[in-house]
Amino acid sequence: MELSLRLKTIANMVDKCYACADIGTDHGYIPIYLISNDICKKVIASDINKGPINKAKFNIKSEGLDKFIECRIGSGLTTLKSKEVNCAIVAGMGGNLIKDIVEEGKDIFKDLDYLIVQPVQNPEIFREYVYNNGYKIIEEELCVDENKFYEIIKVKYSKKSTKIDNVFYEVSKYLLENNHPLIKEYILKKIEKNNRILIAITEDTKLAAVRREEVKRKIFKLKELLEWL
Ligand SMILES: C[S@@+](CC[C@H](N)C(=O)[O-])C[C@H]1O[C@@H](n2cnc3c(N)ncnc32)[C@H](O)[C@@H]1O
């Protein structure tokens, strides 16, 4: 079974350990990869919906891995008991939903060595939540799969919030500091997108003027980040 670059990048951020949980597993590809590549001894594949869990069960059985992967139905981290797994993954959902899953499962999250998340939209909402709620980003990855950028964030509980410029909700400070090979292209794409937004704000109203200033400020800050590289 060949995994997409996005899923492989996520799975390869899991350190060799006894057990991991894949929340919102859908097809169950990540659990299959983690066991097949000897990264984990046991994986809990969890999903809120019956359809995806049946799909995962079918794929897992086809690979002969049902002894090592346990499927569970339920929302977010609530299907896990405290300290049952070393780490967990929440991938392929929006930043808002991932934030809600972490918030609802805070007690389980605090006991994990780390959580790996891959927000498909609004990663900035998740980073803002992380920095302001006593969590810590320990690693990030960026990949391009089928012409789309994907950000993957490894986060852990740390008790301490971090004051940081808002621009780092949008662009990963970790990736900048580590000079990730794709970070420049990523920032340039963001600048291009905001330039298009600016051109599209044509109304002659007070509100439009405020919005134009906001976008201009964002473009200025994004350009400043390029000087780090
Ligand atoms: C787009 S799929 C992503 C599948 C896989 N994680 C990936 O990245 O390719 C999202 C999955 O999350 C599940 N899901 C949505 N909300 C959830 C929640 N609160 N708890 C657990 N699973 C959830 C959906 O049923 C669906 O199977």
Side-chain angles (χ1 to χ4, degrees):
M1 193 194 62
E2 192 52 38
L3 237 57
S4 68
L5 179 63
R6 174 183 70 89
L7 290 178
K8 213 185 261 181
T9 309
I10 296 167
N12 285 333
M13 283 175 79
V14 176
D15 305 310
K16 210 171 160 89
C17 64
Y18 178 66
C20 176
D22 183 30
I23 307 299
T25 195
D26 196 2
H27 32 65
Y29 292 162
I30 289 182
I32 292 170
Y33 183 91
L34 291 176
I35 297 293
S36 306
N37 289 278
D38 206 21
I39 297 171
C40 303
K41 298 276 175 236
K42 179 186 164 178
V43 180
I44 296 169
S46 182
D47 204 287
I48 198 168
N49 292 307
K50 219 172 166 178
I53 278 297
N54 288 339
K55 204 187 327 174
K57 276 185 179 162
F58 176 84
N59 290 335
I60 291 162
K61 208 168 171 52
S62 305
E63 298 285 330
L65 297 177
D66 39 329
K67 267 205 235 95
F68 310 101
I69 304 170
E70 188 188 330
C71 291
R72 295 184 187 171
I73 295 189
S75 178
L77 299 166
T78 63
T79 56
L80 304 176
K81 293 188 206 91
S82 188
K83 301 201 170 137
E84 187 178 26
V85 290
N86 304 89
C87 58
I89 297 168
V90 187
M93 300 175 214
N96 257 314
L97 177 55
I98 298 179
K99 180 186 88 153
D100 292 345
I101 286 176
V102 173
E103 187 61 29
E104 278 161 21
K106 229 185 221 168
D107 290 339
I108 299 288
F109 170 70
K110 283 180 182 172
D111 286 336
L112 296 173
D113 290 345
Y114 53 84
L115 176 76
I116 296 171
V117 310
Q118 183 266 303
V120 265
Q121 311 98 19
N122 306 116
E124 71 285 357
I125 290 179
F126 185 73
R127 281 202 199 88
E128 178 174 4
Y129 171 71
V130 164
Y131 283 123
N132 292 300
N133 285 276
Y135 309 142
K136 185 176 167 195
I137 292 175
I138 50 176
E139 191 185 341
E140 293 203 45
E141 253 304 344
L142 182 63
C143 71
V144 177
D145 196 351
E146 305 207 336
N147 279 325
K148 197 174 173 331
F149 276 103
Y150 291 103
E151 288 161 81
I152 305 144
I153 308 168
K154 198 179 208 178
V155 59
K156 69 180 287 180
Y157 180 64
S158 88
K159 293 192 191 131
K160 232 173 70 198
S161 292
T162 312
K163 271 208 180 323
I164 198 161
D165 192 299
N166 289 6
V167 75
F168 296 118
Y169 300 157
E170 292 240 5
V171 177
S172 157
K173 191 161 189 259
Y174 180 94
L175 296 177
L176 265 168
E177 285 177 344
N178 289 280
N179 210 353
H180 191 281
L182 293 174
I183 195 69
K184 189 170 181 184
E185 197 186 323
Y186 179 80
I187 298 171
L188 288 172
K189 203 165 172 185
K190 269 200 179 286
I191 293 174
E192 210 181 284
K193 185 178 157 198
N194 280 285
N195 275 329
R196 281 199 303 273
I197 294 173
L198 197 58
I199 291 167
I201 310 172
T202 51
E203 306 95 276
D204 192 17
T205 63
K206 226 175 172 176
L207 205 69
V210 170
R211 179 79 185 116
R212 255 194 303 273
E213 278 316 304
E214 264 173 26
V215 179
K216 275 187 193 164
R217 217 169 21 248
K218 192 187 267 188
I219 294 170
F220 178 78
K221 282 193 163 189
L222 288 167
K223 283 186 175 165
E224 264 187 344
L225 291 185
L226 288 174
E227 286 164 24
W228 284 46
L229 302 167

